[in-house]
Amino acid sequence: MIFEAMRYSLLAGGKRLRPMMVLAACEAVGGKKEDALPFACALEMIHTYSLIHDDLPAMDNDDYRRGRLTNHKVFGEDMAILAGDGLLHHAMETMADACVKNPTPQTTGAMKAIAHGAGVEGMLVGQVVDVFMEGKPLDIETLDFIHLHKTAAMIRGALQAGAICGGADEKQLRHLHWQAKKSALHSRFWMIFWM
């Protein structure tokens, strides 16, 4: 059942934007996308786990995701939590396996970039502030904080992981970091525009 619940959300569709960014960043700096593939797959697992948990009644309490019932509506809250946990841990195992098979600064650096983007200084803290501010008035600084951590941190992690896999230098990595921050602030503009 746990594998069925994990696959249900992981294979539900979606744009696969973050994994594509990993592969594109790797190729953009002259690397081979095959080297970045485990990290692209891991990032999609991490993104999917975050969506499963975000949909839970304790968070956004959503009934539908990507045009179908959310994980907890199909498998129950307990199994949805475990499916999310399973995807997170399988992502870490996938990246660790790539590092063991090819122990280089590129593989370990890619794993670190993704873990950092998803962790307590990235997506997780953005989600914490998002949950904490639910139903409260938001000022622009708080909204920027949420976007820069919940959204941009994972985009930055994707771009950095792919570029590191491809052998990027420090200048290229700084440029990608700036682009991710710029894209998050751009998303704020579109959110305000569509409200």
Side-chain angles (χ1 to χ4, degrees), residues 81-100:
I81 293 168
L82 294 171
D85 293 347
L87 285 167
L88 174 61
H89 292 289
H90 193 61
M92 294 303 162
E93 185 179 350
T94 299
M95 291 188 292
D97 189 49
C99 291
V100 168

Side-chain angles (χ1 to χ4, degrees), residues 112-174:
K112 182 178 178 184
I114 290 172
H116 184 77
V120 295
E121 294 182 24
M123 177 185 66
L124 185 63
V125 74
Q127 180 68 12
V128 167
V129 174
D130 191 17
V131 168
F132 181 75
M133 294 304 294
E134 183 71 30
K136 298 174 185 169
L138 274 177
D139 57 44
I140 199 69
E141 290 81 17
T142 306
L143 184 60
D144 282 347
F145 183 91
I146 292 169
H147 283 297
L148 289 171
H149 290 82
K150 189 174 174 180
T151 305
M154 289 292 282
I155 292 170
R156 184 175 60 246
L159 293 172
Q160 288 180 330
I164 291 168
C165 277
D169 60 32
E170 283 302 315
K171 182 179 178 185
Q172 291 168 316
L173 290 174
R174 278 194 307 274

Side-chain angles (χ1 to χ4, degrees), residues 16-24 26 32-47 87 90-115 154 157-166:
R16 309 280 193 243
L17 181 64
R18 289 155 192 82
M20 286 191 304
M21 289 175 145
V22 173
L23 301 177
C26 180
K32 297 183 293 187
K33 66 180 179 183
E34 293 78 21
D35 294 338
L37 193 57
F39 303 99
C41 292
L43 191 59
E44 185 63 20
M45 287 183 245
I46 292 169
H47 178 61
L87 285 167
H90 193 61
M92 294 303 162
E93 185 179 350
T94 299
M95 291 188 292
D97 189 49
C99 291
V100 168
K101 288 179 180 173
N102 184 22
T104 66
Q106 286 79 21
T107 57
T108 55
M111 182 175 181
K112 182 178 178 184
I114 290 172
M154 289 292 282
L159 293 172
Q160 288 180 330
I164 291 168
C165 277

